[in-house]
Amino acid sequence: MRIAIIRLSALGDIINSALILQFIKKAYPKARIEWICEEAFAPVLKDHPDLHAVHTVAIKRAKKTRSLRLLFQSASKLRALGEFDAIIDLQGLLKSALVARLVGKDVHGFAKDSLREPIASLFYSFYTHIPYAENSIWRSLVLVSEALQIPITKEMVDAKKPALSYKESDNVACELLSTTQKNIAFVIGASWPSKCYPRESFSSLAQKFDANVILIWGSAAEREDALYIAQNSSARLAPKLSLKQLVALVDSVDLLIGNDTGPTHIAWAMNKPSITLFGPTPAKKMMWQTRINISLESDSKVDPLKLDRSDISIKEIPVELVYEKAMELLS
């Protein structure tokens, strides 16, 4: 059985969707599963034991550079992939639906009333009805369950195996980790400024711990914030990490605290304790909470269908509350 999974972006959504692979493989051990995503995110899936191949598109780069040539190259590559027994669009956007149809004509996707971009449903042959406001991880699992006719329960999700993989050569964490203190990672950045807990709050939080606090950053602006936190606490910066190195580091720490962003969701994917901080995005939709993976939310009333990027309420989450929950998880 040859299966195509379409989930182009973003990093956090790909990470949260990766657990479907273990359930498909359990039901169809000989299945050949192939994932299609944006080129920037492919490394996080590379060499996954349950994936036969990762195919990339350059839609974001084509849009940024206004290059029709890149779009045509991506389209040609998709058309050349050959026939699939099942094509599943987990993303449910117009662009992902178009990608899915370039791969083949019989696409499984979300029904019109279950999409933020209902026009995407025009490109599907089979439909799954589940409210858009429902938990994003569960939505993906229900779609896969119906498309492939395999049972997936919430109990199975709670008992999942680590959903991502890495090689020993990716583990550069040894020099960062303490053997005498608890190791705590802070993910200080996010795709929107309003999703970021203030650096002053992260600094105050770091000061409270008798622990080895490691600051994970991505962009130049995030590095500047990390330097500020380090200068005002005993925390220290991680080096610039590849996606695989990031997975390895998160898998090595005792606790991760971060904003609603891809690197933070790695902790849940790898079954590591975590606290995710939410302001302008809905925790109920964006993460799967467990005994060791919890959320702390601002008092903002978030509409999943209409997110407010100007909502800076995340800064209202008390540092003392984050510390209290962290100590509970560490104990």
Side-chain angles (χ1 to χ4, degrees), residues 128-184:
T128 288
H129 293 266
I130 183 169
Y132 179 75
E134 181 64 76
N135 181 271
S136 295
I137 296 169
W138 186 240
R139 276 169 51 86
S140 295
L141 291 167
V142 171
L143 175 56
V144 169
S145 176
E146 292 189 4
L148 301 178
Q149 298 181 11
I150 59 178
I152 302 176
T153 66
K154 293 183 178 180
E155 290 73 22
M156 290 169 65
V157 180
D158 289 335
K160 76 181 191 308
K161 298 182 297 184
L164 302 172
S165 67
Y166 60 91
K167 295 180 178 179
E168 192 57 40
S169 57
D170 296 316
N171 197 341
V172 297
C174 297
E175 61 192 49
L176 295 171
L177 299 177
S178 171
T179 58
T180 59
Q181 294 177 299
K182 293 290 188 180
N183 294 286
I184 305 173

Side-chain angles (χ1 to χ4, degrees), residues 204-219:
S204 297
L205 181 61
Q207 292 171 22
K208 288 182 172 292
F209 288 113
D210 179 16
N212 178 39
V213 177
I214 303 166
L215 305 173
I216 295 174
W217 55 275
S219 66

Side-chain angles (χ1 to χ4, degrees), residues 115-289:
L115 290 168
R116 181 163 61 88
E117 295 183 3
I119 193 173
S121 65
L122 296 176
F123 298 91
Y124 304 147
S125 300
F126 309 98
Y127 307 94
T128 288
H129 293 266
I130 183 169
Y132 179 75
E134 181 64 76
N135 181 271
S136 295
I137 296 169
W138 186 240
R139 276 169 51 86
S140 295
L141 291 167
V142 171
L143 175 56
V144 169
S145 176
E146 292 189 4
L148 301 178
Q149 298 181 11
I150 59 178
I152 302 176
T153 66
K154 293 183 178 180
E155 290 73 22
M156 290 169 65
V157 180
D158 289 335
K160 76 181 191 308
K161 298 182 297 184
L164 302 172
S165 67
Y166 60 91
K167 295 180 178 179
E168 192 57 40
S169 57
D170 296 316
N171 197 341
V172 297
C174 297
E175 61 192 49
L176 295 171
L177 299 177
S178 171
T179 58
T180 59
Q181 294 177 299
K182 293 290 188 180
N183 294 286
I184 305 173
F186 285 3
V187 175
I188 63 170
S191 54
W192 314 342
S194 59
K195 290 170 68 176
C196 295
Y197 201 46
R199 64 183 189 177
E200 294 82 6
S201 298
F202 269 124
S203 177
S204 297
L205 181 61
Q207 292 171 22
K208 288 182 172 292
F209 288 113
D210 179 16
N212 178 39
V213 177
I214 303 166
L215 305 173
I216 295 174
W217 55 275
S219 66
E222 289 173 13
R223 187 174 187 275
E224 287 299 313
D225 286 339
L227 285 171
Y228 172 89
I229 297 167
Q231 290 165 1
N232 290 276
S233 70
S234 60
R236 54 183 178 150
L237 277 68
K240 181 73 171 178
L241 299 171
S242 70
L243 287 177
K244 285 292 190 182
Q245 290 170 341
L246 178 58
V247 173
L249 174 59
V250 172
D251 195 37
S252 300
V253 300
D254 299 292
L255 173 67
L256 183 145
I257 302 171
N259 304 310
D260 174 24
T261 186
T264 303
H265 296 306
I266 291 174
W268 173 81
M270 300 303 290
N271 298 335
K272 303 296 292 188
S274 66
I275 299 173
T276 307
L277 307 174
F278 287 88
T281 51
K284 184 178 178 181
K285 178 173 175 60
M286 302 308 296
M287 75 170 286
W288 191 280
Q289 301 204 45

